[in-house]
Amino acid sequence: YAALGIAWGYAALILSFLGGMWWGLAAASLARGERVRGGVWIAAVAPSLLALGTYLPWIFAGEWPGPSLVILGLALLGSLFIDRALAPLAPDWWMRLRIPLSVGLGGATLAIGLLA
């Protein structure tokens, strides 16, 4: 059970970190005088809120951590769509880094959640 909690914690932290990265990309673009769509700011905050939401079943004695790990795994895999949309704001190497990291952690987290 402790290992499942650690898996959840790591996935939730990394998902929240990605939101911070997206916020940073948007802020850096604004600092350069570039226009940033409003949806970017929402996308940057959403991962932390989603991670928090996957913690609530544990607090309220719901089914946890299996379903929460599945949600986090899918969110990490889905984060590639946001990464791709933000690629024009990011360095050239951004997607070469993001694809293996998101597929690796997202896939592992999803598999752990389905087996939990």
Side-chain angles (χ1 to χ4, degrees), residues 6-98:
I6 291 169
W8 172 86
Y10 186 71
L13 287 170
I14 294 300
L15 189 62
S16 294
F17 175 77
L18 285 175
M21 292 296 297
W22 299 336
W23 186 279
L25 288 172
S29 295
L30 275 181
R32 291 189 302 266
E34 299 170 9
R35 181 166 157 68
V36 177
R37 296 184 322 246
V40 172
W41 304 107
I42 295 168
V45 173
S48 295
L49 296 175
L50 178 66
L52 176 64
T54 64
Y55 181 61
L56 295 178
W58 184 70
I59 294 172
F60 296 113
E63 188 176 345
W64 192 87
S68 294
L69 286 164
V70 169
I71 291 168
L72 288 175
L74 292 172
L76 286 162
L77 291 169
S79 71
L80 288 172
F81 294 105
I82 304 296
D83 285 326
R84 182 74 177 144
L86 294 178
L89 306 178
D92 293 339
W93 48 263
W94 180 257
M95 289 306 292
R96 287 192 311 273
L97 175 71
R98 294 299 316 126

